């Protein structure tokens, strides 16, 4: 279109060139408007995903804390079970010793 513009002469050529420039300007404004709308939509989507990431991070942290509590509780229960086993083993040993002593006393009779 440049060659067409440069070949035009006189007032008519200048007016046509201005009209061509107006058309180009209109196109540029349209593209700029579309770009702004696209940027705004992208910004809204980015905001949405940032919010979702924040929610997921909060969920993940809550789950990590729950896992840690469950792990600690599991370890505590395991220690309690070991202590209970030791207590029962001691009771069995005492019972065995008392039985052996009673048997020994009975044999002395």
């Amino acid at each position: 279109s440049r060659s067409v513009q440069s070949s035009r002469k006189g007032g008519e050529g200048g007016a046509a060139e201005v009209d061509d420039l107006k058309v180009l300007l209109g196109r540029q404004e349209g593209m700029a408007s579309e770009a702004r709308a696209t940027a705004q939509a992208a910004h809204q989507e980015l905001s949405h995903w940032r919010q979702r990431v924040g929610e997921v991070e909060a969920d993940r942290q809550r789950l990590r804390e729950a896992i840690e509590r469950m792990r600690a509780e599991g370890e505590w229960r395991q220690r309690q079970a070991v202590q209970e086993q030791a207590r029962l083993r001691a009771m069995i040993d005492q019972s065995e010793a008392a039985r052996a002593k009673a048997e020994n006393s009975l044999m002395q009779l």
Side-chain angles (χ1 to χ4, degrees), residues 9-91:
K9 295 185 180 173
E12 180 186 314
E17 187 173 351
V18 168
D19 289 342
D20 287 347
L21 289 174
K22 285 180 181 178
V23 168
L24 286 174
L25 180 61
R27 287 181 190 158
Q28 291 294 323
E29 288 172 345
M31 289 189 307
S33 177
E34 286 179 31
R36 280 191 296 275
T38 300
Q40 183 178 7
H43 179 72
Q44 288 174 344
E45 187 164 349
L46 178 62
S47 295
H48 165 76
W49 286 114
R50 282 184 174 155
Q51 180 180 352
R52 281 295 297 140
V53 165
E55 292 167 0
V56 168
E57 284 296 324
D59 288 346
R60 186 167 68 173
Q61 182 61 33
R62 193 177 70 254
L63 291 172
R64 281 182 181 156
E65 291 168 0
I67 289 168
E68 182 59 29
R69 281 191 308 272
M70 289 171 27
R71 185 190 62 74
E73 184 177 326
E75 289 174 357
W76 180 83
R77 288 181 187 273
Q78 187 175 3
R79 284 192 305 272
Q80 292 298 101
V82 167
Q83 290 174 1
E84 183 65 11
Q85 287 175 348
R87 188 182 71 77
L88 293 173
R89 181 73 54 208
M91 286 176 61

